[in-house]
Amino acid sequence: MLKRVRRPLAAALLTFCSALLLSRLTCRTRPSQGQRSERSYEALLQQHEQQYLLYSANLTEQICRLKEELRSEILPPDPVELEQFLQNQLRRAQSGSGDQNEFSVLPFDTFTLHRVYQMETGLTREPVETAPLRPDRRNDLNGALEAALHLLNQPQAGDSQHHRAYSPKHFCEGIFRTEKDKGTLYDLAFRENSVPDFRRLVFFRPFAPLMKVREELMDASQILINIIVPLAERLDAFRQFLQRFSEVCAGQDAGTHLTVVLFGSGKIQEVKRILDGMSRRMKYRNVTLIRLEEEFSRARGLDVGARSWKQNNVLLFFCDVDVHFTADFLNSCRMNTHPGKKVFYPVMFSQYNPEVIYGQHVPSAEDQLVIRKDFGYWKDSDFGMTCQYRSDFMNMGGFEASVTGSAPEDVHLYRKFLRSRLLVVRAPSRGLFHVWHQTLCQEHLSRETLKLCLQTKALNEASHSRLGRMIFHQQIHHHLHKYISSRQS
């Protein structure tokens, strides 16, 4: 009886153990709900990633195809040919054009953060364009400025923790010009207030995105400027020139040397006294006085002054006693010249007769340094003021005394530079002024010479609108009187 009871119990126990073992094996092999969710999510991510990679590859292929189509239409299809084409455009933009006419060279425009000093003004546009600038010009110049700041503020290998951070306030001045068959060339200069170093960046836009040309560090304090001034009888003008000279060169920019070439011997003692007084008062010793027993010739005086320098290659500035320059101009003189590469022919702003412009209330000479259409004009017909290194001046042969014809010697020198491989930088200068002085037209002059003298005199007196009001003064007065009478009746 006991055996019969144990057999069913053993069978039930065996069945229970088998079921338990089968259940445990099933739990080991079957994934949990969390595991199933994680695996499906990973598969979904992988599927999406493959889709995005395929989409990105398709877009890249489309972009490459569009670039090839565009290049085949407007530029050489081969990348090597394209690079050669752009480099050739850059070389053409940076080199002289070979033109022999002084008016055929395309001038640069000068710009700061808020102003553009432009040459082609005609009778309707101002010589300086102030903010807000024309939208296309604003976007163009802002793009060049932003590109320059981006490059300047990029960290370089080996930089210290005190890396200079440049901002628009460090932008000093720039020049640019657009040649329709090449592109736009930009030359920008930056400087911090506490250091003498200028950071210059040159860009070229070949009607395409900007390409960096070069970046260089220029220590302006190491570039000496020899200012050469020819002088004859005008001692009052010379005193005024030395007053302005001492304020700028002795007071602000010590990297200068003054060379005065005096013609004749009658005023030698007076000139020495004026120079010695300025030297003692301003503690300025960089002065050379050269005397020539000859009839006055500006070209001859400048040539002698340039050749008299026997030290290292020096930057020359050919100047006159009727010219006023600022410290900013001296820096422009340094930045826009390079021995063997480029010379600077600035365009000065010529002032009108202050008695005609201001009437009885003529302001001080400093307050007259205003660039506005009613106060003066860009004297783009003058090529006498120039900054160039002595080596370039000598290589060009200097001024030619045997020059014949209507063009003066300074124009012939300018044309020689145009025919050379040097870049001629022709740009209006915001810090160079031609101070008004009376133009005397002698009666013994020939008819044609007298006519030209009177034209020059009229051009320097006042603007077209001011001269028109002076000529038609009686007609304007009569019209005003008639108008008032009709209003009262």
Side-chain angles (χ1 to χ4, degrees):
M1 184 69 184
L2 183 59
K3 290 181 179 179
R4 293 179 179 177
V5 174
R6 288 181 177 177
R7 285 181 179 176
L9 180 62
L13 182 61
L14 181 61
T15 303
F16 174 78
C17 291
S18 300
L20 180 62
L21 180 60
L22 181 62
S23 175
R24 297 192 64 176
L25 290 175
T26 304
C27 290
R28 286 181 181 180
T29 59
R30 182 184 302 171
S32 65
Q33 185 68 26
Q35 288 176 336
R36 288 200 304 270
S37 299
E38 183 177 355
R39 289 183 179 179
S40 62
Y41 183 72
E42 290 178 353
L44 182 62
L45 283 179
Q46 186 175 5
Q47 181 182 1
H48 280 247
E49 183 178 2
Q50 292 177 352
Q51 291 177 353
Y52 282 124
L53 289 175
L54 180 61
Y55 180 70
S56 176
N58 290 334
L59 288 180
T60 303
E61 183 180 356
Q62 293 180 22
I63 292 173
C64 293
R65 186 170 62 252
L66 290 174
K67 285 184 176 180
E68 290 296 330
E69 293 177 359
L70 181 63
R71 185 182 293 113
S72 63
E73 291 180 3
I74 62 175
L75 291 176
D78 184 45
V80 177
E81 293 181 10
L82 173 61
E83 180 66 19
Q84 292 176 352
F85 171 79
L86 295 178
Q87 291 297 330
N88 182 55
Q89 292 290 82
L90 175 60
R91 284 192 297 269
R92 292 174 60 197
Q94 286 190 303
S95 62
S97 61
D99 294 328
Q100 301 182 21
N101 190 318
E102 60 270 21
F103 297 105
S104 60
V105 64
L106 182 65
F108 286 81
D109 285 341
T110 306
F111 71 102
T112 60
L113 281 179
H114 306 292
R115 289 178 173 82
V116 176
Y117 301 85
Q118 54 195 5
M119 283 288 297
E120 300 186 6
T121 59
L123 296 177
T124 57
R125 297 171 60 190
E126 292 289 336
V128 53
E129 183 180 353
T130 57
L133 302 178
R134 203 173 62 216
D136 59 331
R137 174 170 285 179
R138 181 186 66 244
N139 296 335
D140 179 33
L141 298 181
N142 284 346
L145 182 61
E146 290 173 1
L149 290 173
H150 176 73
L151 289 174
L152 287 174
N153 290 321
Q154 278 186 342
Q156 302 293 331
D159 281 352
S160 62
Q161 295 181 351
H162 303 288
H163 178 71
R164 297 179 183 175
Y166 287 87
S167 66
K169 69 178 182 179
H170 297 122
F171 175 61
C172 300
E173 185 182 77
I175 59 175
F176 72 100
R177 72 176 178 185
T178 301
E179 297 182 79
K180 295 182 179 180
D181 61 339
K182 302 178 185 68
T184 304
L185 186 68
Y186 308 85
D187 194 334
L188 298 88
F190 296 80
R191 185 178 71 169
E192 290 189 80
N193 296 329
S194 58
V195 297
D197 301 337
F198 281 89
R199 297 292 296 274
R200 293 183 59 247
L201 288 95
V202 179
F203 293 98
F204 180 58
R205 189 196 301 274
F207 301 115
L210 284 170
M211 54 184 292
K212 180 182 177 182
V213 178
R214 64 178 177 275
E215 178 182 351
E216 60 186 17
L217 180 65
M218 184 183 71
D219 187 357
S221 64
Q222 301 300 317
I223 302 178
L224 179 69
I225 302 179
N226 185 10
I227 304 172
I228 304 177
V229 179
L231 179 64
E233 300 292 334
R234 303 182 58 201
L235 294 188
D236 291 337
F238 182 61
R239 290 189 184 92
Q240 297 176 5
F241 170 82
L242 277 187
Q243 178 63 33
R244 300 187 298 264
F245 175 89
S246 61
E247 293 174 357
V248 174
C249 296
Q252 303 177 43
D253 193 327
T256 57
H257 184 97
L258 176 62
T259 299
V260 179
V261 182
L262 176 64
F263 287 82
S265 58
K267 304 292 184 180
I268 182 64
Q269 297 301 326
E270 183 67 12
V271 171
K272 285 183 177 180
R273 189 183 65 82
I274 297 173
L275 287 173
D276 291 342
M278 186 272 294
S279 298
R280 289 193 301 269
R281 183 177 69 257
M282 303 302 299
K283 297 181 180 179
Y284 186 84
R285 299 290 183 264
N286 300 334
V287 178
T288 300
L289 176 61
I290 302 174
R291 187 180 66 178
L292 295 178
E293 294 287 350
E294 303 173 12
E295 184 179 355
F296 178 79
S297 170
R298 181 179 186 273
R300 168 67 173 159
L302 295 174
D303 195 272
V304 170
R307 296 176 186 276
S308 66
W309 187 268
K310 302 302 181 183
Q311 302 179 38
N312 58 336
N313 193 18
V314 68
L315 177 57
L316 305 174
F317 170 41
F318 296 155
C319 189
D320 288 336
V321 293
D322 297 316
V323 171
H324 173 76
F325 55 86
T326 65
D328 289 333
F329 167 75
L330 295 178
N331 286 327
S332 299
C333 184
R334 296 182 176 100
M335 289 186 294
N336 294 317
T337 53
H338 193 285
K341 292 185 178 180
K342 59 182 178 178
V343 294
F344 185 36
Y345 272 83
V347 182
M348 55 185 173
F349 192 77
S350 185
Q351 296 177 338
Y352 290 136
N353 188 345
E355 294 182 359
V356 176
I357 301 302
Y358 302 102
Q360 298 179 352
H361 304 286
V362 178
S364 64
E366 190 70 23
D367 292 335
Q368 294 182 37
L369 302 179
V370 179
I371 301 179
R372 284 178 51 187
K373 189 174 184 178
D374 292 336
F375 295 163
Y377 66 99
W378 292 116
K379 200 172 184 180
D380 57 345
S381 61
D382 188 286
F383 302 92
M385 307 305 119
T386 174
C387 296
Q388 53 191 253
Y389 276 86
R390 184 179 182 274
S391 58
D392 296 328
F393 177 78
M394 300 297 290
N395 290 335
M396 288 295 109
F399 291 103
E400 298 180 14
S402 59
V403 168
T404 59
S406 59
E409 294 90 339
D410 51 12
V411 175
H412 280 271
L413 178 63
Y414 182 76
R415 290 174 178 174
K416 287 194 290 185
F417 279 116
L418 292 181
R419 292 192 294 266
S420 71
R421 295 186 177 181
L422 275 71
L423 174 64
V424 178
V425 179
R426 180 74 165 160
S429 176
R430 59 193 175 100
L432 189 64
F433 295 84
H434 179 255
V435 181
W436 181 87
H437 61 90
Q438 186 176 6
T439 302
L440 299 177
C441 299
Q442 304 294 338
E443 295 182 356
H444 66 271
L445 298 176
S446 64
R447 179 180 177 181
E448 189 64 28
T449 306
L450 180 62
K451 180 182 177 181
L452 294 175
C453 182
L454 291 176
Q455 289 178 353
T456 303
K457 181 179 178 66
L459 182 63
N460 293 328
E461 284 295 307
S463 63
H464 290 79
S465 59
R466 176 76 67 172
L467 289 175
R469 291 194 296 269
M470 293 171 60
I471 294 173
F472 301 109
H473 172 73
Q474 293 184 352
Q475 184 176 345
I476 296 174
H477 179 74
H478 175 72
H479 177 79
L480 181 61
H481 178 73
K482 184 177 180 180
Y483 176 78
I484 294 175
S485 300
S486 63
R487 295 280 294 180
Q488 292 178 349
S489 59

